Amino acid sequence: IEKRLARHSRNSQALINGIEAMGLEMHAQEGYRLPSLNTVVIPKSVTDINVRRMILDCFNIEIGGGLGILRGKIWRVGLMGMNSTEKNVILLLEALERTLRKEGYHVKPSSGVGAAIDFYDST
């Protein structure tokens, strides 16, 4: 179980590094985050459903939208069980980068992917 917890924490931190490198921010404050469920603030210039639909259609990746008062304001990204892998984190970051650029949000190419890879290489 300790190895699984460490894997979830490591993959969550790589995702966070990638998200922040793209200029996005995490919703939950540090210290209150769950490594298995990461929440990302949706930029005001981006339409939630367009991004989630494009990521699902083009990359076969499903991310959840916010619920209740957070509907349309956050994405919920699960890194649970066998889906918590380096490969999936990097694929999701690539999908987000491409999709956000198509939505008109300025993302440096490979900024999120590069930040995650740098984190993995250093740990």
Short mmCIF file of all heavy atoms in Angstrom, two decimals, residues 45-65 75 91-105 107:
data_model
loop_
_atom_site.label_atom_id
_atom_site.label_comp_id
_atom_site.label_asym_id
_atom_site.label_seq_id
_atom_site.Cartn_x
_atom_site.Cartn_y
_atom_site.Cartn_z
N SER A 45 -11.48 32.41 -20.08
CA SER A 45 -11.63 32.51 -21.53
C SER A 45 -11.92 31.16 -22.20
O SER A 45 -12.05 31.09 -23.42
CB SER A 45 -10.35 33.09 -22.14
OG SER A 45 -9.25 32.24 -21.87
N VAL A 46 -12.06 30.11 -21.41
CA VAL A 46 -12.22 28.76 -21.95
C VAL A 46 -13.60 28.22 -21.57
O VAL A 46 -14.08 28.42 -20.46
CB VAL A 46 -11.11 27.84 -21.37
CG1 VAL A 46 -11.34 26.40 -21.73
CG2 VAL A 46 -9.75 28.30 -21.86
N THR A 47 -14.23 27.53 -22.51
CA THR A 47 -15.52 26.91 -22.25
C THR A 47 -15.32 25.47 -21.79
O THR A 47 -14.77 24.64 -22.52
CB THR A 47 -16.39 26.93 -23.53
OG1 THR A 47 -16.48 28.28 -23.98
CG2 THR A 47 -17.77 26.38 -23.27
N ASP A 48 -15.76 25.20 -20.59
CA ASP A 48 -15.59 23.89 -19.95
C ASP A 48 -15.97 22.73 -20.86
O ASP A 48 -15.15 21.86 -21.15
CB ASP A 48 -16.43 23.87 -18.67
CG ASP A 48 -16.55 22.50 -18.03
OD1 ASP A 48 -15.58 21.71 -18.09
OD2 ASP A 48 -17.62 22.20 -17.45
N ILE A 49 -17.19 22.71 -21.33
CA ILE A 49 -17.69 21.56 -22.09
C ILE A 49 -16.94 21.38 -23.40
O ILE A 49 -16.72 20.25 -23.83
CB ILE A 49 -19.22 21.63 -22.31
CG1 ILE A 49 -19.76 20.29 -22.80
CG2 ILE A 49 -19.60 22.76 -23.24
CD1 ILE A 49 -19.65 19.16 -21.80
N ASN A 50 -16.52 22.47 -24.04
CA ASN A 50 -15.76 22.34 -25.29
C ASN A 50 -14.46 21.58 -25.05
O ASN A 50 -14.08 20.71 -25.83
CB ASN A 50 -15.45 23.70 -25.89
CG ASN A 50 -16.66 24.41 -26.42
OD1 ASN A 50 -17.74 23.85 -26.49
ND2 ASN A 50 -16.48 25.67 -26.78
N VAL A 51 -13.76 21.93 -23.98
CA VAL A 51 -12.48 21.29 -23.68
C VAL A 51 -12.70 19.83 -23.32
O VAL A 51 -12.03 18.94 -23.85
CB VAL A 51 -11.75 22.04 -22.54
CG1 VAL A 51 -10.54 21.26 -22.06
CG2 VAL A 51 -11.36 23.44 -23.01
N ARG A 52 -13.64 19.57 -22.44
CA ARG A 52 -13.87 18.18 -22.01
C ARG A 52 -14.31 17.31 -23.19
O ARG A 52 -13.88 16.17 -23.32
CB ARG A 52 -14.87 18.12 -20.87
CG ARG A 52 -14.28 18.68 -19.59
CD ARG A 52 -15.10 18.41 -18.35
NE ARG A 52 -16.40 19.05 -18.38
CZ ARG A 52 -17.55 18.39 -18.24
NH1 ARG A 52 -17.58 17.09 -18.06
NH2 ARG A 52 -18.69 19.05 -18.26
N ARG A 53 -15.15 17.84 -24.04
CA ARG A 53 -15.63 17.07 -25.20
C ARG A 53 -14.49 16.79 -26.18
O ARG A 53 -14.36 15.69 -26.70
CB ARG A 53 -16.77 17.81 -25.90
CG ARG A 53 -17.43 16.97 -26.98
CD ARG A 53 -18.66 17.63 -27.55
NE ARG A 53 -19.71 17.66 -26.54
CZ ARG A 53 -20.50 18.71 -26.31
NH1 ARG A 53 -20.39 19.81 -27.00
NH2 ARG A 53 -21.44 18.64 -25.38
N MET A 54 -13.67 17.80 -26.45
CA MET A 54 -12.56 17.64 -27.39
C MET A 54 -11.53 16.63 -26.85
O MET A 54 -11.02 15.80 -27.61
CB MET A 54 -11.88 18.99 -27.67
CG MET A 54 -11.00 18.97 -28.91
SD MET A 54 -10.27 20.58 -29.30
CE MET A 54 -11.69 21.67 -29.27
N ILE A 55 -11.25 16.70 -25.57
CA ILE A 55 -10.30 15.75 -24.98
C ILE A 55 -10.85 14.32 -25.06
O ILE A 55 -10.11 13.39 -25.36
CB ILE A 55 -9.96 16.15 -23.53
CG1 ILE A 55 -9.07 17.40 -23.55
CG2 ILE A 55 -9.27 15.02 -22.78
CD1 ILE A 55 -8.77 17.96 -22.18
N LEU A 56 -12.13 14.18 -24.84
CA LEU A 56 -12.75 12.85 -24.94
C LEU A 56 -12.76 12.36 -26.39
O LEU A 56 -12.36 11.23 -26.68
CB LEU A 56 -14.17 12.88 -24.37
CG LEU A 56 -14.93 11.55 -24.39
CD1 LEU A 56 -14.20 10.48 -23.58
CD2 LEU A 56 -16.34 11.76 -23.86
N ASP A 57 -13.19 13.22 -27.31
CA ASP A 57 -13.31 12.81 -28.72
C ASP A 57 -11.95 12.55 -29.37
O ASP A 57 -11.80 11.61 -30.14
CB ASP A 57 -14.05 13.88 -29.53
CG ASP A 57 -15.52 13.99 -29.15
OD1 ASP A 57 -16.04 13.08 -28.46
OD2 ASP A 57 -16.15 15.01 -29.54
N CYS A 58 -10.97 13.40 -29.09
CA CYS A 58 -9.68 13.31 -29.77
C CYS A 58 -8.66 12.40 -29.07
O CYS A 58 -7.78 11.85 -29.73
CB CYS A 58 -9.07 14.70 -29.94
SG CYS A 58 -10.08 15.80 -30.96
N PHE A 59 -8.77 12.30 -27.75
CA PHE A 59 -7.75 11.56 -26.99
C PHE A 59 -8.31 10.40 -26.18
O PHE A 59 -7.57 9.70 -25.52
CB PHE A 59 -6.99 12.51 -26.06
CG PHE A 59 -6.23 13.59 -26.80
CD1 PHE A 59 -6.81 14.81 -27.07
CD2 PHE A 59 -4.93 13.35 -27.21
CE1 PHE A 59 -6.12 15.80 -27.75
CE2 PHE A 59 -4.23 14.33 -27.90
CZ PHE A 59 -4.83 15.56 -28.16
N ASN A 60 -9.63 10.24 -26.18
CA ASN A 60 -10.29 9.20 -25.41
C ASN A 60 -9.98 9.31 -23.92
O ASN A 60 -9.79 8.30 -23.23
CB ASN A 60 -9.93 7.81 -25.95
CG ASN A 60 -10.94 6.77 -25.52
OD1 ASN A 60 -12.12 7.07 -25.36
ND2 ASN A 60 -10.48 5.54 -25.33
N ILE A 61 -9.90 10.55 -23.43
CA ILE A 61 -9.65 10.82 -22.01
C ILE A 61 -10.86 11.57 -21.48
O ILE A 61 -11.29 12.57 -22.04
CB ILE A 61 -8.40 11.70 -21.81
CG1 ILE A 61 -7.16 10.98 -22.32
CG2 ILE A 61 -8.24 12.07 -20.34
CD1 ILE A 61 -5.92 11.86 -22.33
N GLU A 62 -11.39 11.09 -20.37
CA GLU A 62 -12.53 11.76 -19.76
C GLU A 62 -12.09 12.44 -18.47
O GLU A 62 -11.51 11.81 -17.59
CB GLU A 62 -13.65 10.76 -19.45
CG GLU A 62 -14.91 11.41 -18.97
CD GLU A 62 -16.08 10.45 -18.88
OE1 GLU A 62 -15.89 9.24 -19.09
OE2 GLU A 62 -17.19 10.93 -18.61
N ILE A 63 -12.35 13.74 -18.40
CA ILE A 63 -12.14 14.46 -17.15
C ILE A 63 -13.50 15.00 -16.71
O ILE A 63 -14.36 15.30 -17.54
CB ILE A 63 -11.10 15.60 -17.26
CG1 ILE A 63 -11.48 16.63 -18.31
CG2 ILE A 63 -9.72 15.04 -17.55
CD1 ILE A 63 -10.55 17.83 -18.35
N GLY A 64 -13.68 15.09 -15.42
CA GLY A 64 -14.96 15.53 -14.89
C GLY A 64 -15.05 17.03 -14.79
O GLY A 64 -14.05 17.73 -14.64
N GLY A 65 -16.27 17.52 -14.85
CA GLY A 65 -16.53 18.93 -14.61
C GLY A 65 -16.83 19.15 -13.14
O GLY A 65 -17.03 18.20 -12.37
N TRP A 75 -12.12 21.59 -13.39
CA TRP A 75 -12.10 20.24 -13.92
C TRP A 75 -11.63 19.31 -12.82
O TRP A 75 -10.76 19.66 -12.01
CB TRP A 75 -11.12 20.12 -15.10
CG TRP A 75 -11.54 20.86 -16.32
CD1 TRP A 75 -12.74 20.79 -16.95
CD2 TRP A 75 -10.74 21.78 -17.07
NE1 TRP A 75 -12.74 21.61 -18.05
CE2 TRP A 75 -11.53 22.22 -18.14
CE3 TRP A 75 -9.44 22.25 -16.95
CZ2 TRP A 75 -11.07 23.13 -19.09
CZ3 TRP A 75 -8.98 23.15 -17.88
CH2 TRP A 75 -9.78 23.59 -18.94
N LEU A 91 0.12 12.12 -21.25
CA LEU A 91 -0.90 12.15 -22.30
C LEU A 91 -1.98 13.19 -21.98
O LEU A 91 -2.38 13.96 -22.86
CB LEU A 91 -1.53 10.77 -22.47
CG LEU A 91 -2.63 10.68 -23.53
CD1 LEU A 91 -2.11 11.05 -24.91
CD2 LEU A 91 -3.23 9.28 -23.53
N LEU A 92 -2.43 13.25 -20.75
CA LEU A 92 -3.44 14.23 -20.37
C LEU A 92 -2.91 15.65 -20.54
O LEU A 92 -3.61 16.53 -21.07
CB LEU A 92 -3.90 14.03 -18.94
CG LEU A 92 -4.82 15.14 -18.42
CD1 LEU A 92 -6.11 15.22 -19.22
CD2 LEU A 92 -5.10 14.98 -16.95
N LEU A 93 -1.68 15.90 -20.11
CA LEU A 93 -1.11 17.24 -20.26
C LEU A 93 -0.99 17.63 -21.73
O LEU A 93 -1.29 18.76 -22.11
CB LEU A 93 0.24 17.33 -19.55
CG LEU A 93 0.16 17.29 -18.01
CD1 LEU A 93 1.55 17.11 -17.42
CD2 LEU A 93 -0.52 18.55 -17.48
N GLU A 94 -0.58 16.69 -22.57
CA GLU A 94 -0.51 16.97 -24.01
C GLU A 94 -1.90 17.27 -24.57
O GLU A 94 -2.08 18.21 -25.35
CB GLU A 94 0.10 15.79 -24.77
CG GLU A 94 0.16 16.04 -26.26
CD GLU A 94 0.69 14.86 -27.06
OE1 GLU A 94 1.05 13.83 -26.48
OE2 GLU A 94 0.71 14.98 -28.29
N ALA A 95 -2.89 16.49 -24.17
CA ALA A 95 -4.25 16.71 -24.63
C ALA A 95 -4.76 18.09 -24.19
O ALA A 95 -5.38 18.81 -24.98
CB ALA A 95 -5.17 15.61 -24.09
N LEU A 96 -4.49 18.45 -22.95
CA LEU A 96 -4.92 19.75 -22.46
C LEU A 96 -4.23 20.89 -23.22
O LEU A 96 -4.88 21.87 -23.59
CB LEU A 96 -4.60 19.88 -20.97
CG LEU A 96 -5.73 19.65 -19.99
CD1 LEU A 96 -5.24 19.74 -18.56
CD2 LEU A 96 -6.89 20.57 -20.23
N GLU A 97 -2.92 20.76 -23.42
CA GLU A 97 -2.18 21.80 -24.15
C GLU A 97 -2.78 22.02 -25.53
O GLU A 97 -3.05 23.15 -25.94
CB GLU A 97 -0.70 21.42 -24.29
CG GLU A 97 0.08 21.55 -23.01
CD GLU A 97 1.53 21.10 -23.17
OE1 GLU A 97 1.97 20.78 -24.30
OE2 GLU A 97 2.24 21.09 -22.15
N ARG A 98 -2.98 20.96 -26.27
CA ARG A 98 -3.50 21.07 -27.64
C ARG A 98 -4.92 21.64 -27.64
O ARG A 98 -5.26 22.50 -28.44
CB ARG A 98 -3.49 19.71 -28.32
CG ARG A 98 -2.12 19.24 -28.68
CD ARG A 98 -2.19 17.91 -29.37
NE ARG A 98 -0.90 17.51 -29.88
CZ ARG A 98 -0.72 16.46 -30.66
NH1 ARG A 98 -1.76 15.72 -31.01
NH2 ARG A 98 0.49 16.14 -31.08
N THR A 99 -5.73 21.15 -26.73
CA THR A 99 -7.13 21.58 -26.67
C THR A 99 -7.24 23.03 -26.24
O THR A 99 -8.01 23.80 -26.82
CB THR A 99 -7.91 20.66 -25.72
OG1 THR A 99 -7.79 19.31 -26.17
CG2 THR A 99 -9.37 21.03 -25.67
N LEU A 100 -6.47 23.42 -25.25
CA LEU A 100 -6.53 24.81 -24.78
C LEU A 100 -6.07 25.78 -25.86
O LEU A 100 -6.63 26.86 -26.02
CB LEU A 100 -5.70 24.98 -23.51
CG LEU A 100 -6.31 24.36 -22.25
CD1 LEU A 100 -5.33 24.41 -21.09
CD2 LEU A 100 -7.62 25.04 -21.88
N ARG A 101 -5.04 25.39 -26.63
CA ARG A 101 -4.60 26.25 -27.74
C ARG A 101 -5.72 26.43 -28.77
O ARG A 101 -5.94 27.52 -29.28
CB ARG A 101 -3.34 25.69 -28.40
CG ARG A 101 -2.08 25.98 -27.59
CD ARG A 101 -0.82 25.87 -28.41
NE ARG A 101 -0.61 24.60 -29.08
CZ ARG A 101 0.03 23.56 -28.55
NH1 ARG A 101 0.54 23.62 -27.35
NH2 ARG A 101 0.17 22.45 -29.24
N LYS A 102 -6.44 25.35 -29.05
CA LYS A 102 -7.56 25.44 -30.00
C LYS A 102 -8.68 26.33 -29.46
O LYS A 102 -9.42 26.93 -30.22
CB LYS A 102 -8.10 24.05 -30.33
CG LYS A 102 -7.18 23.24 -31.22
CD LYS A 102 -7.75 21.88 -31.52
CE LYS A 102 -6.76 21.09 -32.37
NZ LYS A 102 -7.24 19.73 -32.64
N GLU A 103 -8.79 26.39 -28.14
CA GLU A 103 -9.80 27.24 -27.50
C GLU A 103 -9.34 28.69 -27.38
O GLU A 103 -10.06 29.53 -26.86
CB GLU A 103 -10.12 26.70 -26.10
CG GLU A 103 -11.11 25.59 -26.08
CD GLU A 103 -12.53 26.05 -26.39
OE1 GLU A 103 -13.09 26.86 -25.63
OE2 GLU A 103 -13.07 25.60 -27.40
N GLY A 104 -8.11 28.97 -27.84
CA GLY A 104 -7.61 30.34 -27.80
C GLY A 104 -6.86 30.71 -26.54
O GLY A 104 -6.47 31.87 -26.36
N TYR A 105 -6.63 29.74 -25.65
CA TYR A 105 -5.86 30.00 -24.44
C TYR A 105 -4.38 29.85 -24.78
O TYR A 105 -3.98 28.86 -25.37
CB TYR A 105 -6.26 29.02 -23.34
CG TYR A 105 -5.55 29.24 -22.03
CD1 TYR A 105 -5.97 30.23 -21.15
CD2 TYR A 105 -4.47 28.45 -21.67
CE1 TYR A 105 -5.32 30.43 -19.94
CE2 TYR A 105 -3.81 28.65 -20.46
CZ TYR A 105 -4.24 29.64 -19.61
OH TYR A 105 -3.61 29.84 -18.41
N VAL A 107 -0.89 28.77 -24.49
CA VAL A 107 -0.06 27.76 -23.81
C VAL A 107 1.20 27.59 -24.63
O VAL A 107 1.13 27.37 -25.84
CB VAL A 107 -0.79 26.40 -23.73
CG1 VAL A 107 0.09 25.36 -23.04
CG2 VAL A 107 -2.11 26.52 -23.00
#
